[in-house]
Amino acid sequence: MRASTSKKPLQRSARQELYGFDRLYRDHVDLIYRYAYRLCGETESAKDLVQETFLNAYQGLKDFRGESKVSTWLYTIASRACIRMRRKRKGEPEHELSLEEFVPTSEGEFRLQIPIDGLSPEEALQNKELRAALDQAIDKLPKKYRMALVLRDMEGLSAKEVGTIMGVNERALKSRLHRARLFVRRELSARGITQHDNQKSGGWRS
Amino acid sequence: MTQKKTATPKKRPGRSSHHTHREGRCMDLLRRLSGYIDDELPSDICREIRRHLGACPNCEVLIVSLRQTVTLCRHRPTPQLTPVDRMNMRRAILTAANAR
């Protein structure tokens, strides 16, 4: 080994950093990819987001003090990276969803239903039209609403945890989540997906 | 089916049970639907909502479809990374980290 005393601790620390990163990456890459895919809606952007997230995590690993769960920390990094990346790609302003726009204006609109009665969610989602409608509805959501919906309803985090990740209080988070759900509900029920489509795609129980 | 007047949760003189949904209990319910299906509301408000749902088939349909929406979101399938993807991304991350 070289005699340089000043280099040894640095080398050891670099090795430790890499070891720490590898553990972090191995244990969480699938989780963050799933989140990224749900936010981006397609694989290449999701992979870009995963790389950006873990690159930031690698650089911030030594400062992570364990005040939150590792997964919460990574979700936060990913969420911020997603906002930055989207801002770079498109400059369109975020539109706000107001509760008023979800007030049904007619009986018919009120009664719109999602035709999945009698099917398990997995069976219902075998209907390509329904799945596409769900994907498009989530994709159309302004990102702060989409993030709330993905973290709470898809990733299954608590409202408090999602609020921490998004940097908003629980009340604001719940309001965003509610509007996001109403938006997706309206998109799904307004599509007029028929049970016949379910039958054709093999979605019925035999 | 006709609705019984007695099932209306709060008496509002001059207002029929076939109210417009921009006002009254339906609007209150619309605001609180997520809290209700997430079981986050105090029990007295839940009771009030249940009473309203029993009297208002439109809100009943709305709540069922919102529940279904949340269920579908929970079960939306996502693709998985392959081992090669994981390896390539790790390499790209470390290369970028060393370059910075």
Side-chain angles (χ1 to χ4, degrees):
Chain A
M1 291 296 285
R2 282 183 200 127
S4 164
T5 50
S6 63
K7 271 198 171 179
K8 271 186 182 170
L10 272 180
Q11 284 170 348
R12 196 162 50 240
S13 138
R15 259 203 313 275
Q16 279 168 345
E17 253 177 44
L18 183 61
Y19 175 73
F21 170 76
D22 273 336
R23 248 185 84 179
L24 181 80
Y25 183 76
R26 191 189 57 222
D27 291 348
H28 296 90
V29 67
D30 289 333
L31 178 89
I32 295 302
Y33 177 70
R34 195 182 59 200
Y35 177 48
Y37 183 86
R38 286 169 167 173
L39 281 183
C40 302
E42 53 95 18
T43 51
E44 285 315 305
S45 304
K47 284 181 191 171
D48 287 348
L49 181 53
V50 171
Q51 289 184 43
E52 186 64 22
T53 302
F54 279 99
L55 179 59
N56 290 333
Y58 184 61
Q59 287 161 338
L61 195 54
K62 57 184 178 301
D63 300 321
F64 177 62
R65 294 180 207 289
E67 284 157 357
S68 64
K69 285 197 285 186
V70 177
S71 58
T72 306
W73 178 60
L74 287 172
Y75 276 128
T76 308
I77 296 174
S79 303
R80 287 180 188 159
C82 176
I83 290 169
R84 272 199 313 274
M85 285 164 77
R86 280 180 179 270
R87 219 175 265 154
K88 264 189 214 167
R89 279 181 203 155
K90 323 173 191 169
E92 96 267 29
E94 273 273 274
H95 90 269
E96 297 286 335
L97 299 177
S98 105
L99 201 57
E100 276 294 308
E101 68 183 87
F102 300 111
V103 179
T105 51
S106 67
E107 291 268 308
E109 203 183 316
F110 222 106
R111 287 181 159 275
L112 286 171
Q113 296 186 48
I114 306 165
I116 63 168
D117 284 346
L119 297 176
S120 70
E122 291 85 359
E123 286 169 335
L125 286 165
Q126 282 173 20
N127 179 335
K128 283 183 189 158
E129 203 190 336
L130 180 64
R131 211 170 54 231
L134 182 63
D135 290 348
Q136 281 166 23
I138 293 168
D139 198 47
K140 273 166 75 179
L141 274 170
K143 64 178 172 291
K144 69 180 183 186
Y145 297 94
R146 189 183 327 154
M147 230 171 237
L149 183 90
V150 168
L151 285 167
R152 184 84 174 93
D153 285 346
M154 297 185 181
E155 298 296 307
L157 305 189
S158 69
K160 192 176 175 192
E161 205 174 354
V162 179
T164 305
I165 290 165
M166 295 185 68
V168 294
N169 64 38
E170 229 176 299
R171 193 187 160 93
L173 179 270
K174 284 179 181 172
S175 162
R176 280 184 197 179
L177 174 68
H178 184 42
R179 285 155 209 233
R181 286 173 174 177
L182 286 170
F183 179 92
V184 176
R185 180 251 166 205
R186 189 184 60 192
E187 294 289 312
L188 286 184
S189 56
R191 289 282 290 255
I193 301 156
T194 59
Q195 293 196 328
H196 180 63
D197 296 316
N198 260 325
Q199 222 162 359
K200 272 196 298 189
S201 64
W204 292 107
R205 280 182 194 149
S206 53
Chain B
M1 225 197 231
T2 51
Q3 289 175 1
K4 288 176 189 169
K5 261 195 168 174
T6 48
T8 312
K10 268 190 181 175
K11 284 177 188 166
R12 290 177 187 225
R15 198 168 282 185
S16 81
S17 56
H18 283 286
H19 40 231
T20 64
H21 295 288
R22 287 197 165 275
E23 51 194 331
R25 310 309 298 163
C26 295
M27 193 58 203
D28 281 352
L29 183 96
L30 187 78
R31 275 197 201 94
R32 290 170 159 166
L33 271 182
S34 280
Y36 181 72
I37 65 175
D38 289 340
D39 208 10
E40 288 168 345
L41 300 179
S43 57
D44 55 331
I45 294 179
C46 286
R47 249 194 321 274
E48 229 179 274
I49 289 176
R50 273 196 297 273
R51 215 177 303 139
H52 175 73
L53 289 175
C56 181
N58 285 343
C59 280
E60 181 77 50
V61 170
L62 183 61
I63 207 160
V64 167
S65 61
L66 195 74
R67 271 208 178 99
Q68 287 172 333
T69 301
V70 175
T71 304
L72 288 176
C73 285
R74 285 203 176 119
H75 289 85
R76 185 187 177 207
T78 46
Q80 296 209 322
L81 282 173
T82 65
V84 174
D85 285 333
R86 282 191 207 103
M87 187 184 71
N88 288 342
M89 286 201 299
R90 177 186 173 277
R91 192 182 301 139
I93 294 160
L94 293 176
T95 305
N98 289 330
R100 278 192 187 175

